[in-house]
Amino acid sequence: PAMSAMQLAQQLKATSDNINNVNPTYSDELGSGRVNMYRALTETNRPSFDIFRKQFVDLNNNFFEAGDTIRFTSTFINFLAPSTNAVATLTCSSPYAIVIDGIAGLGAMGTLDTVRNTNNPFTIKLLGSVPVNHELTFKISF
């Protein structure tokens, strides 16, 4: 009863059943999986992270072009159970970008604690062959 609506949503996501093998064509594109109410009510010791206040900068003019090195910072929040050594990992499947530094150590985070990776931003290099207006998709795993 003490959880906020956002915490309830995070609990449902954190305890959902992975369905990537059911429809591999849409792997990681169908949300967090199938809701498992039994797990949602019984597994109460899981942390659950999300990000907000995302900022991308290139330390130049912030018009991202081929050859630029982009720094990505964000605020991370832990909605559920405390964590002891949280880590966020950034990946990108585009052939036009290389993730140079894709790991942010978040450390111990209590329930509803926030951490910003300002001192250790994710770093991405845009390759010289990147087409103009190409959209990159990033994935952050915790």
Side-chain angles (χ1 to χ4, degrees):
M3 285 185 165
S4 69
M6 183 58 87
Q7 287 175 296
L8 289 171
Q10 291 291 326
Q11 179 68 11
L12 290 172
K13 286 172 58 176
T15 57
S16 65
D17 296 332
N18 186 312
I19 60 170
N20 285 339
N21 61 344
V22 174
N23 199 344
T25 304
Y26 296 100
S27 184
D28 291 328
E29 295 181 17
L30 299 174
S32 298
R34 180 181 55 225
V35 171
N36 184 325
M37 285 307 294
Y38 178 78
R39 289 180 60 205
L41 294 169
T42 59
E43 295 179 19
T44 58
N45 59 346
R46 293 173 170 265
S48 182
F49 305 95
D50 208 344
I51 63 172
F52 62 102
R53 294 189 190 135
K54 298 173 272 254
Q55 183 179 22
F56 294 85
V57 297
D58 70 356
L59 302 183
N60 186 14
N61 58 8
N62 289 332
F63 292 105
F64 306 134
E65 335 178 89
D68 280 352
T69 299
I70 300 169
R71 286 150 185 85
F72 168 38
T73 57
S74 182
T75 299
F76 301 86
I77 184 168
N78 177 19
F79 282 101
L80 298 176
S83 70
T84 55
N85 191 21
V87 174
T89 304
L90 177 83
T91 56
C92 180
S93 60
S94 173
Y96 302 113
I98 296 174
V99 176
I100 296 169
D101 184 357
I103 297 177
L106 308 178
M109 293 180 71
T111 303
L112 298 178
D113 278 355
T114 60
V115 172
R116 187 151 180 90
N117 68 328
T118 305
N119 294 330
N120 184 26
F122 294 122
T123 309
I124 304 114
K125 176 81 172 178
L126 297 181
L127 300 179
S129 58
V130 65
V132 175
N133 294 326
H134 178 72
E135 185 175 302
L136 298 174
T137 301
F138 297 97
K139 179 179 179 181
I140 297 181
S141 304
F142 296 96

